C-alpha cells in the first residue's frame, strides 16, 4: 500500500515554544485517521503545516510525493477550523468559487447534497445558522475528489443530529482510496468511523494505533483511554 | 434490528455478531444479496474498512459468499446457518446460566421459573 503522507522529525516552534516536536508519521492511502489530543496539543498546527499555512522549523513533510505547495493543494481538500468564506456570499457564488479553484471539484454533487438539505442556491451564508454553515462547508470540501481530506474540528460547534449528518456525509462521500484525517477532541462521537488514531500530547505523538487494536488490548473504547491518558 | 456498538470490545467483532444475528433471524434471508460495503457502513455508522473486515471474516466462516462481479450473498447452505444459530443460542444460555447460578438458583429452580414465565407471557 502507498503512503499518502509521511513526516520525519517534523518540528514547529512559535518563538521559543515548541508546538510540535519530532513528529514521525506514516499514513497510508484509504484510511480514516483521528488526530486526537486536548486543546493546545498541536493538532491544528500539524494540519496547517500540511496545508502550507505554516512552514516547519525542522524536519520533513511529504504529501503524495511532494512538499506542501501548489502540487499538494491539488490533491488535498481542507476544512479549516474557521471559515475563510465571506458572509455576504450566496451558495451559488461559493460553488463558482470552488469550481474555479479546484479541478477535482464536482459542482453537481455539491448542489445535489445541498438540495437534500433544503439549502437554496440563492441563500447567503450570513442568514444561515452555525450548524447549517458548517454543513455547507463540509459539503464543499467533500465534493472534491481529493486524495487526502484534512478536516479540522468538523463537528466542533454543532448539535448531535448535525454531528450524525456530518459523519454520514464523510463516510459516504470520500473518494475511493482517499485518506481522511479528522482532528477533534469529541472522540466519543467519531470513534466508530475511524480506522486509526493518533494521540498528540504537548506537541508529541504519544500513541498511534488502530481503534480495534486499542479495544482489543485494553478492553476500553478510545474515548475512555483518552480520558485516562489526558486526565488533568 | 439496530446497529448498537458497545464500547468495551473491538468494533469489527461486534459487527460480525450483529450480521450473524441478522442472518439467523431471517432479516437477511437465505441466498439474498447484501447491500454494498459502503451502504452497510453508512447504515451502521462505522468505518467502511471495519465493515469490510467483518464481512471478510463471515465469508471465511462460510456464512457469506462473494461473487466478484455481482456482490455478496448470504449462503444457501441451511445447515451452516443452523449451526451458527445453535452456537449463538448456546452462548446466550451460558450467560443466562451463569447469572442464575450467581443468584443462587439450582437446576430445578431455573426450570420452574422458565415454565412459569413462559405461561405468563402466553396469557
Amino acid at each position: 500500500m502507498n503512503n499518502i503522507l509521511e513526516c520525519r522529525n517534523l518540528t514547529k516552534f512559535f518563538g521559543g515554544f515548541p508546538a510540535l516536536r519530532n513528529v514521525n508519521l506514516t499514513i497510508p492511502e484509504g484510511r480514516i485517521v483521528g488526530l486526537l489530543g486536548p486543546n493546545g496539543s498541536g493538532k491544528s498546527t500539524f494540519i496547517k503545516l500540511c496545508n502550507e499555512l505554516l512552514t516547519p522549523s525542522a524536519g520533513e513533510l511529504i504529501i503524495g510525493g511532494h512538499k506542501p505547495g501548489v502540487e499538494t493543494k491539488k490533491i488535498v481538500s481542507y476544512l479549516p477550523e474557521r471559515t475563510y468564506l465571506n458572509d455576504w456570499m450566496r451558495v451559488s457564488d461559493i460553488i463558482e468559487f470552488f469550481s474555479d479553484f479546484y479541478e477535482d471539484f464536482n459542482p453537481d454533487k455539491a448542489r445535489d447534497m445541498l438540495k437534500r438539505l433544503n439549502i437554496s442556491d440563492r441563500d447567503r451564508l450570513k442568514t444561515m445558522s452555525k450548524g447549517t454553515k458548517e454543513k455547507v462547508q463540509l459539503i464543499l470540501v467533500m465534493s472534491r475528489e481529493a486524495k487526502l481530506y484534512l478536516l479540522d474540528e468538523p463537528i466542533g460547534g454543532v448539535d448531535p443530529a448535525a454531528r450524525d449528518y456530518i459523519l454520514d456525509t464523510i463516510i459516504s462521500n470520500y473518494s475511493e482510496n482517499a485518506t481522511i484525517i479528522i482532528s477533534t477532541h469529541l472522540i466519543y462521537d467519531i470513534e466508530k468511523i475511524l480506522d486509526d488514531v493518533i494521540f498528540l500530547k504537548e506537541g508529541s505523538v504519544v500513541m498511534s494505533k488502530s481503534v480495534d487494536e486499542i479495544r482489543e488490548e485494553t478492553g476500553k473504547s478510545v474515548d475512555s483511554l483518552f480520558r485516562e491518558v489526558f486526565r488533568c | 434490528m439496530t446497529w448498537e456498538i458497545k464500547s468495551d470490545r473491538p468494533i469489527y467483532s461486534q459487527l460480525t455478531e450483529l450480521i450473524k444475528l441478522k442472518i439467523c433471524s431471517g432479516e437477511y434471508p437465505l441466498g439474498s444479496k447484501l447491500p454494498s460495503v459502503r451502504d452497510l457502513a453508512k447504515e451502521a455508522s462505522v468505518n467502511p474498512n471495519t465493515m469490510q473486515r467483518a464481512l471478510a471474516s463471515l465469508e471465511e466462516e462460510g456464512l457469506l459468499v462473494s461473487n466478484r462481479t455481482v456482490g455478496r450473498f448470504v449462503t444457501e447452505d441451511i445447515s451452516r446457518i443452523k449451526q451458527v444459530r445453535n452456537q449463538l443460542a448456546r452462548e446466550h444460555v451460558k450467560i443466562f446460566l451463569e447469572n442464575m447460578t450467581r443468584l443462587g438458583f439450582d437446576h430445578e429452580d431455573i426450570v420452574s421459573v422458565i415454565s412459569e414465565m413462559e405461561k405468563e407471557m402466553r396469557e
Side-chain angles (χ1 to χ4, degrees):
Chain A
M1 205 184 300
N2 292 323
N3 295 321
I4 184 69
L5 187 148
E6 289 178 56
C7 63
R8 267 180 295 275
N9 298 321
L10 187 66
T11 300
K12 178 69 188 176
F13 278 94
F14 292 122
F17 176 76
L20 275 185
R21 265 188 288 204
N22 293 318
V23 170
N24 290 294
L25 288 172
T26 310
I27 300 179
E29 288 177 342
R31 308 293 281 183
I32 305 181
V33 182
L35 186 61
L36 313 176
N39 297 322
S41 54
K43 303 188 296 288
S44 290
T45 302
F46 177 76
I47 287 185
K48 284 179 182 162
L49 285 166
C50 295
N51 283 299
E52 211 202 1
L53 296 171
L54 295 170
T55 51
S57 309
E60 194 182 32
L61 173 62
I62 299 290
I63 296 172
H66 298 275
K67 287 186 175 173
V70 176
E71 285 309 310
T72 65
K73 286 176 194 198
K74 289 181 188 167
I75 59 163
V76 174
S77 191
Y78 170 45
L79 180 75
E81 211 179 347
R82 277 188 210 85
T83 182
Y84 51 84
L85 296 167
N86 290 311
D87 238 11
W88 54 261
M89 288 177 107
R90 292 184 197 275
V91 169
S92 53
D93 298 326
I94 305 169
I95 289 183
E96 233 171 87
F97 196 61
F98 262 69
S99 306
D100 199 26
F101 257 93
Y102 300 113
E103 266 177 82
D104 62 359
F105 181 67
N106 181 342
D108 293 334
K109 187 173 174 181
R111 278 195 202 100
D112 185 51
M113 285 162 80
L114 291 163
K115 211 158 124 196
R116 267 184 277 147
L117 284 176
N118 294 319
I119 297 169
S120 146
D121 248 21
R122 307 280 305 147
D123 290 354
R124 286 181 200 275
L125 275 182
K126 69 171 162 210
T127 64
M128 293 175 191
S129 71
K130 188 171 178 188
T132 306
K133 257 185 235 173
E134 303 236 348
K135 285 181 203 162
V136 169
Q137 294 228 62
L138 182 80
I139 286 173
L140 292 166
V141 167
M142 297 312 294
S143 296
R144 284 187 57 195
E145 271 139 40
K147 294 222 168 74
L148 177 65
Y149 299 86
L150 293 171
L151 313 177
D152 199 356
E153 290 285 0
I155 55 172
V158 300
D159 64 69
R163 258 174 225 179
D164 286 347
Y165 173 84
I166 288 174
L167 295 180
D168 273 356
T169 305
I170 295 172
I171 50 177
S172 41
N173 287 291
Y174 71 105
S175 44
E176 201 150 339
N177 299 323
T179 282
I180 308 177
I181 300 178
I182 306 174
S183 96
T184 188
H185 50 249
L186 298 168
I187 301 165
Y188 183 80
D189 293 292
I190 216 163
E191 177 165 353
K192 283 191 296 174
I193 75 156
L194 300 178
D195 286 294
D196 309 302
V197 295
I198 297 166
F199 276 15
L200 278 180
K201 190 179 188 178
E202 291 161 14
S204 300
V205 175
V206 290
M207 183 185 290
S208 171
K209 271 196 179 140
S210 84
V211 170
D212 273 351
E213 258 170 23
I214 289 177
R215 286 174 169 238
E216 216 147 344
E217 287 166 13
T218 65
K220 286 181 197 123
S221 64
V222 176
D223 185 65
S224 349
L225 183 68
F226 182 91
R227 285 166 202 263
E228 268 174 36
V229 173
F230 296 106
R231 176 160 290 151
C232 302
Chain B
M1 208 185 314
T2 55
W3 297 91
E4 199 193 321
I5 307 286
K6 300 198 172 71
S7 65
D8 55 344
R9 284 181 304 130
I11 295 164
Y12 113 92
S13 56
Q14 296 187 52
L15 291 176
T16 319
E17 284 162 25
L18 285 168
I19 298 167
K20 271 186 191 166
L21 258 176
K22 283 171 192 278
I23 293 172
C24 289
S25 70
E27 191 180 329
Y28 294 152
L30 218 65
S32 66
K33 186 173 189 283
L34 241 59
S36 71
V37 175
R38 275 236 174 163
D39 287 345
L40 278 173
K42 193 181 169 191
E43 203 184 298
S45 305
V46 298
N47 181 291
N49 293 327
T50 311
M51 184 57 83
Q52 170 70 36
R53 189 176 164 203
L55 295 174
S57 92
L58 289 168
E59 258 176 51
E60 241 165 67
E61 286 189 55
L63 276 175
L64 299 179
V65 185
S66 106
N67 179 319
R68 255 175 211 292
T69 46
V70 203
R72 236 186 220 99
F73 296 83
V74 177
T75 178
E76 291 184 14
D77 179 356
I78 192 153
S79 65
R80 182 72 192 103
I81 293 182
K82 277 187 179 151
Q83 254 175 15
V84 170
R85 185 187 288 148
N86 205 349
Q87 180 201 333
L88 289 177
R90 289 181 69 95
E91 280 163 23
H92 283 298
V93 172
K94 185 170 174 244
I95 294 167
F96 168 75
L97 288 177
E98 279 167 4
N99 287 334
M100 293 306 276
T101 313
R102 213 172 288 147
L103 282 175
F105 277 54
D106 65 14
H107 176 77
E108 270 165 41
D109 298 333
I110 295 174
V111 173
S112 86
V113 77
I114 289 179
S115 9
E116 217 173 280
M117 280 209 64
E118 270 184 333
K119 213 169 131 197
E120 279 172 29
M121 284 165 80
R122 264 200 302 271
E123 275 160 13

